[in-house]
Amino acid sequence: MGAYILRRLLLVIPTLLGVMIINFTLAQFVPGGPVEQIIAQMQGKGDVFQTIAGGARETDSNVPVSKKPSASSKYVGARGLPEEFIKELEKQFGFDKPPLERFMNMMWRYVRFDFGESYFRNESVLSLVFDKLPVSITLGLWSTLIAYAVSIPLGIRKAVKDGSRFDTWTSGVIIVGYAIPGFLFAILLLVLFAGGSYWQIFPLRGLTSDNWDELSLLGKVADYFWHIALPVLASSISGFATLTLLTKNSFLDEIKKQYVMTARAKGLSERRVLYGHVFRNAMLIVIAGFPSLFIGVFFGGSVIIETLFSLDGLGRLGFQAALARDYPIIFGTLFFFGLIGLLVGILSDLMYVFTDPRIDFEVRET
């Protein structure tokens, strides 16, 4: 098993490098970089996209000859600004170097876990990521745990009652829940229970109250769960359907096997057969998929849920950085997301081995 883990760890390097190359290349063609953000702010427009749109509507025929930008200027909003100032901005952000050199320098820093500093926050990227990461991990972990706590018992019950009215109406509810987009369900929860139009039961934003430091230990625990109730429910709703149906189908496959009929023939109770023999084999694929489900919630829902509920997590940080074209944060969060995803993939394989020792990834047929 050690050799397999070593191979998978070594594959992380080229995979992560490929992800960074693709995204770095795409970023070179996206308009409105940090230099244009600064130019837009200096001209009082506040948003680089207004500058780009406004510049696109202007034609050279409408610009006096004395105010036309030089041929070397590639910034639409830079009309009237000294070219030396533009070059100084490019040098400050590192854009005076060719893209290949900038990418190689960036990856060399990343190898040493030096992610530089944010363009607009005056703080190191590593500090920002470590500050926001616990919020995203909390959201993903609790959502995954709740999805398992509900889906596994429900899936087992559906397998035992296969074809019954209970199985039919629960399947309908699950499918409807799966069809509702997570962000739409989150908005519904906000409107109903966070003071949108009906009840002010749960807080609208944040993970803790303003008087957190004054609360007792029990009060802090209650306050924490009070704040995460809605975002966790919103992020876990989509995981119920897949996990429940996966559990049901896995149990149905195992119940039909020969060893189950043998156990019943020996006079064992149905409960003993179900939980003493079927459960471990049926739960192999379900339990082993825990890391994958966690990373799916961590990646897929973090941006939307954190933004809607004003949670200061890694997804929201990356979203805000993308709007501001804060490239060190964009590539830093992308690097962390990619690294965590690849490591969790390895953890998923280890979960298979832990759940069923008969699995050996190092076995090779000759």
Side-chain angles (χ1 to χ4, degrees), residues 154 158 166-180 237 240-241:
L154 182 59
K158 286 174 64 63
F166 173 81
D167 181 40
T168 302
W169 72 261
T170 51
S171 295
V173 172
I174 289 171
I175 292 173
V176 170
Y178 182 74
I180 299 176
I237 187 67
F240 285 124

Side-chain angles (χ1 to χ4, degrees), residues 258-268 273:
Q258 183 66 39
Y259 75 89
V260 176
M261 291 186 288
T262 302
R264 287 172 175 167
K266 290 181 178 180
L268 296 179
V273 171

